[in-house]
Amino acid sequence: MSATEARARDCRHLIGGKWVDAAGGGTFDDLDPYTGDVVASAAAGDREDAARAIEAANAAFAGWSQAGPGRRQAVFLKAADVLESRRDEVVEWLAKETGCSFGFGMFQMGFVPGLFRQAAGAAYAPLGQVLPSDLPGAFAMGVRRPVGVVGAISPWNAALILSARAIAAPIVFGNTVVLSPSEHSPYVGGLLWGEIFAEAGLPDGVLNIVTHDRAGAAAVGEELVSNPRVRRINFTGSTATGRKLAEAAGRHLKRVVLELGGQNPLIVLADADLEYAVNAAAFGAYLHQGQICMSARRIIVERPIAEKFTAALAEKVSGLGVGDPREPTTIIGPLISPAALETVSRRVDEVVKAGAKVLAGGSAEGACYRATLLADVPRDSEFAQVETFGPVAAIEVVESADEAVAAANATSYGLASGVLTSDPDRGLAIAGRLQAGIVHVNDQPVHDEPQMPFGGVKDSGWGRFGGTFAMDEFTEMQWVTVQSGTRPFPF
Ligand code: NAD
């Protein structure tokens, strides 16, 4: 066993540059979702641990906020290199901690070095504007300043990308961070980043990491929300948890970036290329067994193409390989937990009882749920109304593009969407009518690049990660004037 592996199997908090146990001494088991094996024992943090981490982050802020752009840039360039040098080991950990297939693991491994190199460039982004003033002699500026300590709460599903995203922009703009990773990914979503940024030369206390089990998540979140030293929070996770956090943050008048769930539509217009549409729909709905916030969950098809498209998609979906995520042929690996499997099974069974048709899949296989395609799902069912985080998509047939837009918008969510058409102008016109933070024309919804403005509308949240768009979220705009002479006062 390598030294890194030994440490990974014993995930402690990182506070002020030191690896420490939870204040209460508790630990929890981190399980492989496919085999059920314990892959790590992690510190079970609570409020006190979060408070200690906030103190450390606050102490480090004065120094880091004054670090020059070259220094901040160097840390991110080095972090990208260090991560790349550990590629195989990290992809293996993504599989054993989060059930991630090799393909999705490699996608995450490609994305994050790009994210860090973008962040390195952002260290030199302009920090403000010179503003015209009517006051004689006044030179006025809007200057972006770091905000202070940022709390970062991340999910397990694309743990590598989403924890990296949660810390990169805050740190590069001069803030310090307390990262709270999901209980399902304390290593690839948490402690790994402590190792990598220490090697990259980030000063102690700039990044602090507090792990917790499911029961401890609320206490850590409460401390981040209520502690006055924490000036911003970014949260990526379910709409239900995000809503609770936003309600609490409202009481403290604290700004929160909310990156939440989706019920993402993929519109297939009658002029779409059939084979391309089938491949796009299968990829969009079933990559990472549908456990992606952007996954296509509703496939809205225009009547003239519906019959052929549905038959071809059902055939493709039935053939997607199910099983061990370490096998290169596996497309559908395990769901993250028995509870997640139970939710997916229950919701599918409920709609089937209520009259939905199963066109492919429709049952569990060990820790996995087969890729499932449904039709005729009742609109009032739980499945139709809330995100089901698994490999299940539903076909809806519509009579026109207008009806497709209305169906796509008939949800409380608004994260990502896709419009498949061979006419880009028509696709662009439809994009403007979709209530979604992200629209891909002639593509499916699952796509991300580090420099793009990523985020949702409606119940999918607010705020944007990506490139310099994140500057709005993690800096404070300060209006500064300098009076070059003296000005008259009326008394
Ligand atoms: P989750 O809401 O269960 O947990 C997210 C994070 O919040 C975890 O770190 C968890 O420990 C923590 N948490 C749980 N209860 C908390 C509480 N009361 N207070 C503070 N923190 C708490 O979500 P999940 O199952 O980890 O992730 C899947 C969800 O995330 C899906 O809904 C998916 O769509 C969404 N997601 C959104 C995006 C996006 O960018 N919009 C990206 C990925 C995932």
PDB file of all heavy atoms in Angstrom, residues 153-157 162 165 180-183 212 214 217-218 221 235-239 241 244-245 259-262 293 387 389 415 454, ligand 1:
ATOM      1  N   ILE A 153     -19.736  23.784   0.209  1.00  0.00           N
ATOM      2  CA  ILE A 153     -20.381  22.494   0.498  1.00  0.00           C
ATOM      3  C   ILE A 153     -20.604  21.785  -0.833  1.00  0.00           C
ATOM      4  O   ILE A 153     -21.236  22.337  -1.740  1.00  0.00           O
ATOM      5  CB  ILE A 153     -21.724  22.708   1.231  1.00  0.00           C
ATOM      6  CG1 ILE A 153     -21.499  23.481   2.530  1.00  0.00           C
ATOM      7  CG2 ILE A 153     -22.406  21.374   1.502  1.00  0.00           C
ATOM      8  CD1 ILE A 153     -22.779  23.816   3.296  1.00  0.00           C
ATOM      9  N   SER A 154     -20.085  20.570  -0.954  1.00  0.00           N
ATOM     10  CA  SER A 154     -20.100  19.911  -2.268  1.00  0.00           C
ATOM     11  C   SER A 154     -20.735  18.521  -2.191  1.00  0.00           C
ATOM     12  O   SER A 154     -20.704  17.875  -1.150  1.00  0.00           O
ATOM     13  CB  SER A 154     -18.668  19.817  -2.800  1.00  0.00           C
ATOM     14  OG  SER A 154     -17.851  19.153  -1.866  1.00  0.00           O
ATOM     15  N   PRO A 155     -21.274  18.051  -3.334  1.00  0.00           N
ATOM     16  CA  PRO A 155     -21.900  16.726  -3.362  1.00  0.00           C
ATOM     17  C   PRO A 155     -20.892  15.656  -3.788  1.00  0.00           C
ATOM     18  O   PRO A 155     -19.739  15.956  -4.096  1.00  0.00           O
ATOM     19  CB  PRO A 155     -22.979  16.909  -4.428  1.00  0.00           C
ATOM     20  CG  PRO A 155     -22.338  17.821  -5.419  1.00  0.00           C
ATOM     21  CD  PRO A 155     -21.417  18.718  -4.644  1.00  0.00           C
ATOM     22  N   TRP A 156     -21.367  14.425  -3.878  1.00  0.00           N
ATOM     23  CA  TRP A 156     -20.489  13.301  -4.189  1.00  0.00           C
ATOM     24  C   TRP A 156     -20.486  12.959  -5.676  1.00  0.00           C
ATOM     25  O   TRP A 156     -19.610  12.254  -6.148  1.00  0.00           O
ATOM     26  CB  TRP A 156     -20.980  12.047  -3.419  1.00  0.00           C
ATOM     27  CG  TRP A 156     -22.436  11.787  -3.733  1.00  0.00           C
ATOM     28  CD1 TRP A 156     -23.514  12.279  -3.033  1.00  0.00           C
ATOM     29  CD2 TRP A 156     -22.965  11.096  -4.861  1.00  0.00           C
ATOM     30  NE1 TRP A 156     -24.678  11.921  -3.670  1.00  0.00           N
ATOM     31  CE2 TRP A 156     -24.366  11.179  -4.794  1.00  0.00           C
ATOM     32  CE3 TRP A 156     -22.384  10.392  -5.922  1.00  0.00           C
ATOM     33  CZ2 TRP A 156     -25.207  10.619  -5.740  1.00  0.00           C
ATOM     34  CZ3 TRP A 156     -23.225   9.822  -6.876  1.00  0.00           C
ATOM     35  CH2 TRP A 156     -24.615   9.939  -6.766  1.00  0.00           C
ATOM     36  N   ASN A 157     -21.480  13.433  -6.444  1.00  0.00           N
ATOM     37  CA  ASN A 157     -21.758  12.755  -7.718  1.00  0.00           C
ATOM     38  C   ASN A 157     -20.687  12.965  -8.784  1.00  0.00           C
ATOM     39  O   ASN A 157     -20.394  12.051  -9.541  1.00  0.00           O
ATOM     40  CB  ASN A 157     -23.149  13.121  -8.243  1.00  0.00           C
ATOM     41  CG  ASN A 157     -23.244  14.552  -8.674  1.00  0.00           C
ATOM     42  OD1 ASN A 157     -22.881  15.451  -7.928  1.00  0.00           O
ATOM     43  ND2 ASN A 157     -23.713  14.794  -9.881  1.00  0.00           N
ATOM     44  N   LEU A 162     -16.689  18.909  -8.623  1.00  0.00           N
ATOM     45  CA  LEU A 162     -17.553  19.824  -7.868  1.00  0.00           C
ATOM     46  C   LEU A 162     -16.884  20.355  -6.603  1.00  0.00           C
ATOM     47  O   LEU A 162     -17.153  21.490  -6.199  1.00  0.00           O
ATOM     48  CB  LEU A 162     -18.895  19.163  -7.594  1.00  0.00           C
ATOM     49  CG  LEU A 162     -19.640  18.807  -8.897  1.00  0.00           C
ATOM     50  CD1 LEU A 162     -20.871  17.976  -8.619  1.00  0.00           C
ATOM     51  CD2 LEU A 162     -19.995  20.052  -9.700  1.00  0.00           C
ATOM     52  N   ARG A 165     -14.313  22.892  -8.098  1.00  0.00           N
ATOM     53  CA  ARG A 165     -15.020  24.115  -8.496  1.00  0.00           C
ATOM     54  C   ARG A 165     -15.390  24.955  -7.273  1.00  0.00           C
ATOM     55  O   ARG A 165     -15.358  26.191  -7.315  1.00  0.00           O
ATOM     56  CB  ARG A 165     -16.269  23.666  -9.267  1.00  0.00           C
ATOM     57  CG  ARG A 165     -17.200  24.732  -9.690  1.00  0.00           C
ATOM     58  CD  ARG A 165     -18.363  24.134 -10.465  1.00  0.00           C
ATOM     59  NE  ARG A 165     -19.484  23.771  -9.606  1.00  0.00           N
ATOM     60  CZ  ARG A 165     -20.696  23.444 -10.057  1.00  0.00           C
ATOM     61  NH1 ARG A 165     -20.937  23.417 -11.337  1.00  0.00           N
ATOM     62  NH2 ARG A 165     -21.668  23.134  -9.213  1.00  0.00           N
ATOM     63  N   SER A 180     -16.529  21.489   2.954  1.00  0.00           N
ATOM     64  CA  SER A 180     -17.247  20.406   3.628  1.00  0.00           C
ATOM     65  C   SER A 180     -17.733  19.436   2.551  1.00  0.00           C
ATOM     66  O   SER A 180     -18.748  19.672   1.904  1.00  0.00           O
ATOM     67  CB  SER A 180     -18.422  21.021   4.399  1.00  0.00           C
ATOM     68  OG  SER A 180     -19.294  20.021   4.844  1.00  0.00           O
ATOM     69  N   PRO A 181     -16.984  18.342   2.315  1.00  0.00           N
ATOM     70  CA  PRO A 181     -17.372  17.421   1.239  1.00  0.00           C
ATOM     71  C   PRO A 181     -18.495  16.491   1.677  1.00  0.00           C
ATOM     72  O   PRO A 181     -18.753  16.332   2.870  1.00  0.00           O
ATOM     73  CB  PRO A 181     -16.089  16.638   0.988  1.00  0.00           C
ATOM     74  CG  PRO A 181     -15.365  16.638   2.289  1.00  0.00           C
ATOM     75  CD  PRO A 181     -15.728  17.933   2.982  1.00  0.00           C
ATOM     76  N   SER A 182     -19.125  15.881   0.693  1.00  0.00           N
ATOM     77  CA  SER A 182     -20.192  14.923   0.983  1.00  0.00           C
ATOM     78  C   SER A 182     -19.666  13.760   1.806  1.00  0.00           C
ATOM     79  O   SER A 182     -18.521  13.331   1.647  1.00  0.00           O
ATOM     80  CB  SER A 182     -20.769  14.393  -0.332  1.00  0.00           C
ATOM     81  OG  SER A 182     -21.528  13.230  -0.099  1.00  0.00           O
ATOM     82  N   GLU A 183     -20.540  13.211   2.618  1.00  0.00           N
ATOM     83  CA  GLU A 183     -20.202  12.026   3.414  1.00  0.00           C
ATOM     84  C   GLU A 183     -19.887  10.820   2.527  1.00  0.00           C
ATOM     85  O   GLU A 183     -19.265   9.861   2.965  1.00  0.00           O
ATOM     86  CB  GLU A 183     -21.350  11.695   4.373  1.00  0.00           C
ATOM     87  CG  GLU A 183     -22.720  11.461   3.736  1.00  0.00           C
ATOM     88  CD  GLU A 183     -23.467  12.759   3.374  1.00  0.00           C
ATOM     89  OE1 GLU A 183     -22.879  13.854   3.517  1.00  0.00           O
ATOM     90  OE2 GLU A 183     -24.631  12.662   2.941  1.00  0.00           O
ATOM     91  N   HIS A 212     -17.637  14.908   7.475  1.00  0.00           N
ATOM     92  CA  HIS A 212     -18.724  14.608   8.417  1.00  0.00           C
ATOM     93  C   HIS A 212     -19.538  13.457   7.866  1.00  0.00           C
ATOM     94  O   HIS A 212     -19.546  13.218   6.649  1.00  0.00           O
ATOM     95  CB  HIS A 212     -19.630  15.837   8.598  1.00  0.00           C
ATOM     96  CG  HIS A 212     -20.150  16.342   7.289  1.00  0.00           C
ATOM     97  ND1 HIS A 212     -21.133  15.675   6.572  1.00  0.00           N
ATOM     98  CD2 HIS A 212     -19.778  17.388   6.519  1.00  0.00           C
ATOM     99  CE1 HIS A 212     -21.343  16.323   5.439  1.00  0.00           C
ATOM    100  NE2 HIS A 212     -20.529  17.365   5.368  1.00  0.00           N
ATOM    101  N   ARG A 214     -23.516  11.665   7.544  1.00  0.00           N
ATOM    102  CA  ARG A 214     -24.788  12.288   7.143  1.00  0.00           C
ATOM    103  C   ARG A 214     -25.402  13.057   8.318  1.00  0.00           C
ATOM    104  O   ARG A 214     -25.912  14.162   8.161  1.00  0.00           O
ATOM    105  CB  ARG A 214     -25.753  11.209   6.631  1.00  0.00           C
ATOM    106  CG  ARG A 214     -27.047  11.762   6.045  1.00  0.00           C
ATOM    107  CD  ARG A 214     -26.764  12.438   4.711  1.00  0.00           C
ATOM    108  NE  ARG A 214     -27.878  13.210   4.215  1.00  0.00           N
ATOM    109  CZ  ARG A 214     -27.866  13.905   3.080  1.00  0.00           C
ATOM    110  NH1 ARG A 214     -26.790  13.932   2.325  1.00  0.00           N
ATOM    111  NH2 ARG A 214     -28.899  14.578   2.691  1.00  0.00           N
ATOM    112  N   ALA A 217     -23.865  16.569   8.866  1.00  0.00           N
ATOM    113  CA  ALA A 217     -23.863  17.558   7.778  1.00  0.00           C
ATOM    114  C   ALA A 217     -24.588  18.841   8.185  1.00  0.00           C
ATOM    115  O   ALA A 217     -24.107  19.949   7.927  1.00  0.00           O
ATOM    116  CB  ALA A 217     -24.528  16.965   6.530  1.00  0.00           C
ATOM    117  N   ALA A 218     -25.738  18.692   8.856  1.00  0.00           N
ATOM    118  CA  ALA A 218     -26.526  19.879   9.195  1.00  0.00           C
ATOM    119  C   ALA A 218     -25.773  20.762  10.186  1.00  0.00           C
ATOM    120  O   ALA A 218     -25.781  21.995  10.064  1.00  0.00           O
ATOM    121  CB  ALA A 218     -27.878  19.464   9.771  1.00  0.00           C
ATOM    122  N   GLY A 221     -23.070  22.616   8.402  1.00  0.00           N
ATOM    123  CA  GLY A 221     -23.727  23.645   7.583  1.00  0.00           C
ATOM    124  C   GLY A 221     -24.214  24.812   8.440  1.00  0.00           C
ATOM    125  O   GLY A 221     -24.038  25.982   8.071  1.00  0.00           O
ATOM    126  N   PHE A 235     -22.947  26.305  -2.363  1.00  0.00           N
ATOM    127  CA  PHE A 235     -23.546  25.000  -2.096  1.00  0.00           C
ATOM    128  C   PHE A 235     -23.894  24.332  -3.415  1.00  0.00           C
ATOM    129  O   PHE A 235     -24.590  24.916  -4.253  1.00  0.00           O
ATOM    130  CB  PHE A 235     -24.828  25.160  -1.261  1.00  0.00           C
ATOM    131  CG  PHE A 235     -25.577  23.858  -1.107  1.00  0.00           C
ATOM    132  CD1 PHE A 235     -25.241  22.962  -0.105  1.00  0.00           C
ATOM    133  CD2 PHE A 235     -26.589  23.509  -1.997  1.00  0.00           C
ATOM    134  CE1 PHE A 235     -25.901  21.740   0.008  1.00  0.00           C
ATOM    135  CE2 PHE A 235     -27.263  22.294  -1.886  1.00  0.00           C
ATOM    136  CZ  PHE A 235     -26.916  21.405  -0.880  1.00  0.00           C
ATOM    137  N   THR A 236     -23.429  23.117  -3.618  1.00  0.00           N
ATOM    138  CA  THR A 236     -23.862  22.309  -4.752  1.00  0.00           C
ATOM    139  C   THR A 236     -24.488  21.045  -4.178  1.00  0.00           C
ATOM    140  O   THR A 236     -23.844  20.333  -3.403  1.00  0.00           O
ATOM    141  CB  THR A 236     -22.681  21.945  -5.670  1.00  0.00           C
ATOM    142  OG1 THR A 236     -22.033  23.147  -6.086  1.00  0.00           O
ATOM    143  CG2 THR A 236     -23.160  21.197  -6.900  1.00  0.00           C
ATOM    144  N   GLY A 237     -25.727  20.786  -4.538  1.00  0.00           N
ATOM    145  CA  GLY A 237     -26.416  19.609  -4.005  1.00  0.00           C
ATOM    146  C   GLY A 237     -27.880  19.652  -4.379  1.00  0.00           C
ATOM    147  O   GLY A 237     -28.282  20.346  -5.326  1.00  0.00           O
ATOM    148  N   SER A 238     -28.680  18.942  -3.615  1.00  0.00           N
ATOM    149  CA  SER A 238     -30.097  18.815  -3.976  1.00  0.00           C
ATOM    150  C   SER A 238     -30.862  20.105  -3.680  1.00  0.00           C
ATOM    151  O   SER A 238     -30.462  20.910  -2.823  1.00  0.00           O
ATOM    152  CB  SER A 238     -30.720  17.661  -3.198  1.00  0.00           C
ATOM    153  OG  SER A 238     -30.675  17.960  -1.815  1.00  0.00           O
ATOM    154  N   THR A 239     -31.962  20.271  -4.369  1.00  0.00           N
ATOM    155  CA  THR A 239     -32.811  21.446  -4.152  1.00  0.00           C
ATOM    156  C   THR A 239     -33.345  21.458  -2.724  1.00  0.00           C
ATOM    157  O   THR A 239     -33.411  22.518  -2.088  1.00  0.00           O
ATOM    158  CB  THR A 239     -33.951  21.445  -5.190  1.00  0.00           C
ATOM    159  OG1 THR A 239     -33.362  21.611  -6.488  1.00  0.00           O
ATOM    160  CG2 THR A 239     -34.943  22.577  -4.943  1.00  0.00           C
ATOM    161  N   THR A 241     -31.987  20.307   0.114  1.00  0.00           N
ATOM    162  CA  THR A 241     -30.977  20.772   1.082  1.00  0.00           C
ATOM    163  C   THR A 241     -30.631  22.238   0.824  1.00  0.00           C
ATOM    164  O   THR A 241     -30.485  23.027   1.760  1.00  0.00           O
ATOM    165  CB  THR A 241     -29.688  19.918   0.994  1.00  0.00           C
ATOM    166  OG1 THR A 241     -30.037  18.543   1.014  1.00  0.00           O
ATOM    167  CG2 THR A 241     -28.757  20.201   2.131  1.00  0.00           C
ATOM    168  N   LYS A 244     -33.120  24.587   2.401  1.00  0.00           N
ATOM    169  CA  LYS A 244     -32.933  24.736   3.861  1.00  0.00           C
ATOM    170  C   LYS A 244     -31.778  25.697   4.150  1.00  0.00           C
ATOM    171  O   LYS A 244     -31.880  26.569   5.005  1.00  0.00           O
ATOM    172  CB  LYS A 244     -32.571  23.369   4.479  1.00  0.00           C
ATOM    173  CG  LYS A 244     -33.730  22.464   4.748  1.00  0.00           C
ATOM    174  CD  LYS A 244     -33.223  21.301   5.612  1.00  0.00           C
ATOM    175  CE  LYS A 244     -33.812  20.002   5.103  1.00  0.00           C
ATOM    176  NZ  LYS A 244     -33.103  18.806   5.442  1.00  0.00           N
ATOM    177  N   LEU A 245     -30.705  25.496   3.422  1.00  0.00           N
ATOM    178  CA  LEU A 245     -29.512  26.321   3.648  1.00  0.00           C
ATOM    179  C   LEU A 245     -29.797  27.788   3.311  1.00  0.00           C
ATOM    180  O   LEU A 245     -29.414  28.706   4.037  1.00  0.00           O
ATOM    181  CB  LEU A 245     -28.388  25.793   2.750  1.00  0.00           C
ATOM    182  CG  LEU A 245     -26.994  26.163   3.155  1.00  0.00           C
ATOM    183  CD1 LEU A 245     -26.512  25.282   4.302  1.00  0.00           C
ATOM    184  CD2 LEU A 245     -26.044  26.010   1.974  1.00  0.00           C
ATOM    185  N   GLU A 259     -26.217  25.785  -6.452  1.00  0.00           N
ATOM    186  CA  GLU A 259     -26.171  24.959  -7.674  1.00  0.00           C
ATOM    187  C   GLU A 259     -26.934  23.689  -7.342  1.00  0.00           C
ATOM    188  O   GLU A 259     -26.400  22.788  -6.683  1.00  0.00           O
ATOM    189  CB  GLU A 259     -24.711  24.646  -8.042  1.00  0.00           C
ATOM    190  CG  GLU A 259     -23.870  25.884  -8.341  1.00  0.00           C
ATOM    191  CD  GLU A 259     -24.042  26.398  -9.775  1.00  0.00           C
ATOM    192  OE1 GLU A 259     -24.808  25.780 -10.546  1.00  0.00           O
ATOM    193  OE2 GLU A 259     -23.410  27.411 -10.112  1.00  0.00           O
ATOM    194  N   LEU A 260     -28.192  23.603  -7.813  1.00  0.00           N
ATOM    195  CA  LEU A 260     -29.102  22.569  -7.300  1.00  0.00           C
ATOM    196  C   LEU A 260     -29.507  21.565  -8.383  1.00  0.00           C
ATOM    197  O   LEU A 260     -28.877  21.469  -9.427  1.00  0.00           O
ATOM    198  CB  LEU A 260     -30.320  23.257  -6.671  1.00  0.00           C
ATOM    199  CG  LEU A 260     -29.970  24.367  -5.653  1.00  0.00           C
ATOM    200  CD1 LEU A 260     -31.218  25.031  -5.113  1.00  0.00           C
ATOM    201  CD2 LEU A 260     -29.103  23.829  -4.519  1.00  0.00           C
ATOM    202  N   GLY A 261     -30.563  20.855  -8.127  1.00  0.00           N
ATOM    203  CA  GLY A 261     -30.970  19.756  -9.007  1.00  0.00           C
ATOM    204  C   GLY A 261     -31.646  20.217 -10.288  1.00  0.00           C
ATOM    205  O   GLY A 261     -31.897  21.408 -10.498  1.00  0.00           O
ATOM    206  N   GLY A 262     -31.923  19.256 -11.156  1.00  0.00           N
ATOM    207  CA  GLY A 262     -32.563  19.569 -12.439  1.00  0.00           C
ATOM    208  C   GLY A 262     -33.546  18.485 -12.851  1.00  0.00           C
ATOM    209  O   GLY A 262     -33.453  17.341 -12.407  1.00  0.00           O
ATOM    210  N   CYS A 293     -26.341  16.349 -12.360  1.00  0.00           N
ATOM    211  CA  CYS A 293     -27.378  17.379 -12.233  1.00  0.00           C
ATOM    212  C   CYS A 293     -27.972  17.741 -13.593  1.00  0.00           C
ATOM    213  O   CYS A 293     -29.134  18.122 -13.697  1.00  0.00           O
ATOM    214  CB  CYS A 293     -26.800  18.620 -11.562  1.00  0.00           C
ATOM    215  SG  CYS A 293     -25.332  19.270 -12.398  1.00  0.00           S
ATOM    216  N   GLU A 387     -36.743  15.665  -9.232  1.00  0.00           N
ATOM    217  CA  GLU A 387     -35.589  14.996  -9.822  1.00  0.00           C
ATOM    218  C   GLU A 387     -35.436  13.595  -9.231  1.00  0.00           C
ATOM    219  O   GLU A 387     -35.427  13.430  -8.014  1.00  0.00           O
ATOM    220  CB  GLU A 387     -34.351  15.836  -9.489  1.00  0.00           C
ATOM    221  CG  GLU A 387     -33.033  15.238  -9.896  1.00  0.00           C
ATOM    222  CD  GLU A 387     -31.856  15.995  -9.271  1.00  0.00           C
ATOM    223  OE1 GLU A 387     -31.788  16.122  -8.028  1.00  0.00           O
ATOM    224  OE2 GLU A 387     -31.004  16.484 -10.030  1.00  0.00           O
ATOM    225  N   PHE A 389     -32.643  10.893  -9.084  1.00  0.00           N
ATOM    226  CA  PHE A 389     -31.207  10.901  -9.377  1.00  0.00           C
ATOM    227  C   PHE A 389     -30.733   9.488  -9.695  1.00  0.00           C
ATOM    228  O   PHE A 389     -30.127   8.804  -8.880  1.00  0.00           O
ATOM    229  CB  PHE A 389     -30.474  11.477  -8.163  1.00  0.00           C
ATOM    230  CG  PHE A 389     -29.263  12.286  -8.519  1.00  0.00           C
ATOM    231  CD1 PHE A 389     -29.329  13.323  -9.433  1.00  0.00           C
ATOM    232  CD2 PHE A 389     -28.034  12.016  -7.923  1.00  0.00           C
ATOM    233  CE1 PHE A 389     -28.215  14.081  -9.761  1.00  0.00           C
ATOM    234  CE2 PHE A 389     -26.908  12.762  -8.237  1.00  0.00           C
ATOM    235  CZ  PHE A 389     -27.005  13.792  -9.159  1.00  0.00           C
ATOM    236  N   LEU A 415     -32.296  23.963 -14.895  1.00  0.00           N
ATOM    237  CA  LEU A 415     -30.838  23.908 -14.968  1.00  0.00           C
ATOM    238  C   LEU A 415     -30.358  23.834 -16.423  1.00  0.00           C
ATOM    239  O   LEU A 415     -30.072  24.844 -17.042  1.00  0.00           O
ATOM    240  CB  LEU A 415     -30.295  22.740 -14.132  1.00  0.00           C
ATOM    241  CG  LEU A 415     -28.766  22.659 -14.041  1.00  0.00           C
ATOM    242  CD1 LEU A 415     -28.164  23.925 -13.460  1.00  0.00           C
ATOM    243  CD2 LEU A 415     -28.321  21.460 -13.208  1.00  0.00           C
ATOM    244  N   PHE A 454     -21.861  28.588 -15.417  1.00  0.00           N
ATOM    245  CA  PHE A 454     -22.627  27.397 -15.077  1.00  0.00           C
ATOM    246  C   PHE A 454     -23.567  27.701 -13.918  1.00  0.00           C
ATOM    247  O   PHE A 454     -23.139  28.115 -12.850  1.00  0.00           O
ATOM    248  CB  PHE A 454     -21.689  26.253 -14.673  1.00  0.00           C
ATOM    249  CG  PHE A 454     -22.398  24.936 -14.570  1.00  0.00           C
ATOM    250  CD1 PHE A 454     -22.355  24.031 -15.615  1.00  0.00           C
ATOM    251  CD2 PHE A 454     -23.155  24.618 -13.446  1.00  0.00           C
ATOM    252  CE1 PHE A 454     -23.046  22.829 -15.544  1.00  0.00           C
ATOM    253  CE2 PHE A 454     -23.848  23.424 -13.366  1.00  0.00           C
ATOM    254  CZ  PHE A 454     -23.786  22.528 -14.422  1.00  0.00           C
TER     255      PHE A 454
HETATM  256  P1  NAD B   1     -27.381  16.576  -0.927  1.00  0.00           P
HETATM  257  O1  NAD B   1     -28.226  17.779  -0.966  1.00  0.00           O
HETATM  258  O2  NAD B   1     -27.879  15.380  -0.212  1.00  0.00           O
HETATM  259  O3  NAD B   1     -25.952  16.902  -0.284  1.00  0.00           O
HETATM  260  C1  NAD B   1     -25.115  17.915  -0.812  1.00  0.00           C
HETATM  261  C2  NAD B   1     -24.145  18.348   0.259  1.00  0.00           C
HETATM  262  O4  NAD B   1     -24.867  18.954   1.321  1.00  0.00           O
HETATM  263  C3  NAD B   1     -23.355  17.201   0.888  1.00  0.00           C
HETATM  264  O5  NAD B   1     -22.055  17.646   1.179  1.00  0.00           O
HETATM  265  C4  NAD B   1     -24.102  16.929   2.178  1.00  0.00           C
HETATM  266  O6  NAD B   1     -23.291  16.370   3.174  1.00  0.00           O
HETATM  267  C5  NAD B   1     -24.519  18.342   2.555  1.00  0.00           C
HETATM  268  N1  NAD B   1     -25.680  18.439   3.431  1.00  0.00           N
HETATM  269  C6  NAD B   1     -26.658  17.540   3.642  1.00  0.00           C
HETATM  270  N2  NAD B   1     -27.571  18.038   4.510  1.00  0.00           N
HETATM  271  C7  NAD B   1     -27.143  19.272   4.844  1.00  0.00           C
HETATM  272  C8  NAD B   1     -27.663  20.302   5.679  1.00  0.00           C
HETATM  273  N3  NAD B   1     -28.805  20.154   6.355  1.00  0.00           N
HETATM  274  N4  NAD B   1     -26.973  21.460   5.767  1.00  0.00           N
HETATM  275  C9  NAD B   1     -25.825  21.646   5.068  1.00  0.00           C
HETATM  276  N5  NAD B   1     -25.296  20.702   4.254  1.00  0.00           N
HETATM  277  C10 NAD B   1     -25.942  19.540   4.151  1.00  0.00           C
HETATM  278  O7  NAD B   1     -27.036  16.211  -2.444  1.00  0.00           O
HETATM  279  P2  NAD B   1     -26.175  14.991  -2.980  1.00  0.00           P
HETATM  280  O8  NAD B   1     -26.968  13.739  -2.937  1.00  0.00           O
HETATM  281  O9  NAD B   1     -24.829  14.978  -2.351  1.00  0.00           O
HETATM  282  O10 NAD B   1     -25.965  15.429  -4.515  1.00  0.00           O
HETATM  283  C11 NAD B   1     -26.888  15.193  -5.513  1.00  0.00           C
HETATM  284  C12 NAD B   1     -27.704  16.440  -5.796  1.00  0.00           C
HETATM  285  O11 NAD B   1     -26.847  17.509  -6.161  1.00  0.00           O
HETATM  286  C13 NAD B   1     -28.650  16.272  -6.967  1.00  0.00           C
HETATM  287  O12 NAD B   1     -29.859  16.907  -6.644  1.00  0.00           O
HETATM  288  C14 NAD B   1     -27.943  16.983  -8.110  1.00  0.00           C
HETATM  289  O13 NAD B   1     -28.796  17.424  -9.127  1.00  0.00           O
HETATM  290  C15 NAD B   1     -27.316  18.116  -7.379  1.00  0.00           C
HETATM  291  N6  NAD B   1     -26.168  18.639  -8.123  1.00  0.00           N
HETATM  292  C16 NAD B   1     -26.248  19.903  -8.642  1.00  0.00           C
HETATM  293  C17 NAD B   1     -25.196  20.390  -9.403  1.00  0.00           C
HETATM  294  C18 NAD B   1     -25.225  21.755 -10.015  1.00  0.00           C
HETATM  295  O14 NAD B   1     -24.171  22.259 -10.395  1.00  0.00           O
HETATM  296  N7  NAD B   1     -26.387  22.383 -10.177  1.00  0.00           N
HETATM  297  C19 NAD B   1     -24.056  19.600  -9.612  1.00  0.00           C
HETATM  298  C20 NAD B   1     -24.034  18.327  -9.062  1.00  0.00           C
HETATM  299  C21 NAD B   1     -25.083  17.852  -8.306  1.00  0.00           C
END
